Amino acid sequence: MTSDKTILRTLAGETLPTPPIWMMRQAGRYLPEYKATRAQAGDFLSLCYNPELAAEVTLQPIRRYGFDAAILFADILLVPQALGADLWFVTGEGPRLSTITTADQVAALKPVDAIHDTLNPIYETVKILATELPSETTLIGFAGAPWTVATYMIAGKGTPNQGPAHALKAENRPVFEALLDRITEATISYLSMQIEAGAEVVKLFDSWAGSLQDSDFMDYSIKPMAQISAALKTKYPHIPVIAFPRGAGKRYVGAHAAIGADCVAVDDAVDAKWVSQNVQTGGCVQGNLKSTHMVTGGDALVSETRRIVDALENGPHIFNLGHGITPDADPANVQLMIDTVRGG
Ligand code: CP3
């Protein structure tokens, strides 16, 4: 099936003269229109669960910049909440959750079928977007990868080195693995529902993959993502999967095949030329401009953008940042980045 959507063509393996573009956290606090809609919703979680407003903030960066893909506005921590964890956001500090560290607590999580009671508004958002997006824009659904989601569920918050999750893994591996299995199963169901509602691509964010060492990296980052990809491919063979094992370093080599991913997103710690020779050989890559250029702009933004586009021009490439854009970014720098990619 051919498509006129550049993201879908690139994910299918085509090398386009100009790479398609989208940006992690493209709907976010650097945009005044996002802040206005979030204020209207009340708070971040109310925004996530309000289909009309969540669709509105998803569309804002498409209207302003004409990105080639829209990413569903939601959060990776909605799955823990749907499984029964308490979740709230502390302004200026980030997410807080009730912690899970015992076999009883894992057993007390809701059954996977029950998560949709909570997550239904997210599927409604996807349905609205599927009808409202411009015909050339691809809709990306997403979820957190099991390891990253587990790090938040175990610690009850973001942690610099994921210490509590590593501690549980060392002290009580069966409980740790039972938690990972439950998240994996929930994620398959959640992404299936997003696809049924109209998501055309799904992305798995393993933001903390880099802290897994030796065989743990394969067992707890790669394998759960491979399980999710395989389950989705069985049901929806035409839906491309993007995987983002952030911080994988040299372990990005072979990641497409190990995960069963159509595209591997690379962070900004790896060099684009190295990626072209060692990772893009396995399939489409996405990345990897440092998000700080969206704050500082100028000649460095232009030259770095060109360097990445040139380095990855001989294979399928979706231009993106190496991580999410930050609230202190200047919206004009985003336009400069897009003009540089599209204008040469
Ligand atoms: O990319 C997008 O535009 C789509 C929406 C999206 C959000 N979070 C919205 C959001 C996506 C794909 C995510 C993923 C996410 N959420 C990840 C994985 C990617 C990554 O950044 O590593 C993680 C680890 C989370 C958990 C999370 N959500 C944290 C740690 C925080 C607080 C940090 C912060 O930036 O404030 C959030 C909040 C969050 N998620 C915001 C947005 C726009 C900011 C909330 C606000 O408006 O106050």
Side-chain angles (χ1 to χ4, degrees):
M1 195 169 56
T2 55
S3 169
D4 51 4
K5 299 196 182 199
T6 52
I7 295 267
L8 293 180
R9 286 170 59 187
T10 305
L11 286 167
E14 250 188 85
T15 304
L16 299 179
T18 300
I21 316 173
W22 69 280
M23 207 173 59
M24 284 186 269
R25 291 275 170 99
Q26 63 191 21
R29 289 161 293 180
Y30 74 104
L31 289 178
E33 58 267 38
Y34 169 84
K35 284 192 268 195
T37 310
R38 198 185 73 160
Q40 198 187 333
D43 57 44
F44 173 66
L45 282 176
S46 307
L47 178 54
C48 290
Y49 288 116
N50 181 322
E52 295 292 337
L53 296 184
E56 166 59 24
V57 293
T58 307
L59 290 164
Q60 285 168 351
I62 307 305
R63 284 190 207 115
R64 188 190 263 257
Y65 297 114
F67 283 117
D68 296 292
I71 183 159
L72 164 69
F73 189 83
D75 198 82
I76 67 163
L77 300 177
L78 305 186
V79 167
Q81 188 177 38
L83 283 167
D86 292 329
L87 170 68
W88 66 102
F89 280 80
V90 179
T91 309
E93 290 185 35
R96 293 289 182 275
L97 300 92
S98 45
T99 59
I100 295 208
T101 51
T102 68
D104 287 350
Q105 287 170 327
V106 174
L109 290 172
K110 289 188 193 164
V112 164
D113 286 348
I115 66 174
H116 307 301
D117 297 343
T118 303
L119 297 170
N120 256 320
I122 310 308
Y123 315 138
E124 288 306 312
T125 308
V126 174
K127 282 183 198 161
I128 296 172
L129 289 167
T131 62
E132 291 197 0
L133 276 171
S135 61
E136 68 275 14
T137 314
T138 301
L139 178 56
I140 303 177
F142 75 92
W147 159 249
T148 289
V149 172
T151 65
Y152 287 95
M153 292 180 82
I154 294 163
K157 59 183 179 185
T159 45
N161 52 13
Q162 297 74 59
H166 285 290
L168 182 65
K169 171 162 61 64
E171 286 154 20
N172 199 339
R173 207 165 278 248
V175 168
F176 170 78
E177 291 187 345
L179 177 61
L180 235 63
D181 285 347
R182 184 65 73 90
I183 299 166
T184 302
E185 209 191 324
T187 304
I188 292 167
S189 189
Y190 179 47
L191 290 175
S192 298
M193 293 294 277
Q194 291 185 26
I195 292 167
E196 298 282 347
E200 300 172 284
V201 173
V202 293
K203 178 167 176 186
L204 290 167
F205 287 89
D206 211 352
S207 304
W208 301 119
S211 79
L212 288 165
Q213 298 304 314
D214 306 317
S215 60
D216 282 352
F217 178 76
M218 184 55 78
D219 291 343
Y220 303 128
S221 174
I222 301 296
K223 280 190 184 159
M225 288 199 281
Q227 233 177 304
I228 294 164
S229 176
L232 294 175
K233 294 276 178 194
T234 306
K235 288 196 275 186
Y236 312 105
H238 58 291
I239 298 289
V241 173
I242 304 174
F244 182 33
R246 189 166 75 94
K250 292 206 161 52
R251 301 171 297 184
Y252 275 120
V253 179
H256 289 88
I259 299 168
D262 302 271
C263 176
V264 171
V266 291
D267 59 71
D268 59 32
V270 286
D271 176 71
K273 196 79 208 164
W274 178 85
V275 170
S276 78
Q277 289 160 354
N278 296 282
V279 188
Q280 203 178 27
T281 43
C284 177
V285 294
Q286 177 180 283
N288 72 336
L289 184 69
K290 278 191 172 49
S291 353
T292 49
H293 289 295
M294 298 299 112
V295 182
T296 52
D299 292 346
L301 183 164
V302 172
S303 61
E304 275 300 281
T305 300
R306 287 206 181 115
R307 190 179 63 79
I308 290 166
V309 170
D310 290 349
L312 296 166
E313 72 183 352
N314 294 320
H317 173 215
I318 297 170
F319 192 89
N320 205 308
L321 306 179
H323 200 195
I325 188 167
T326 50
D328 54 346
D330 181 346
N333 289 334
V334 176
Q335 190 62 56
L336 179 59
M337 178 267 282
I338 293 171
D339 292 344
T340 305
V341 174
R342 292 190 176 152

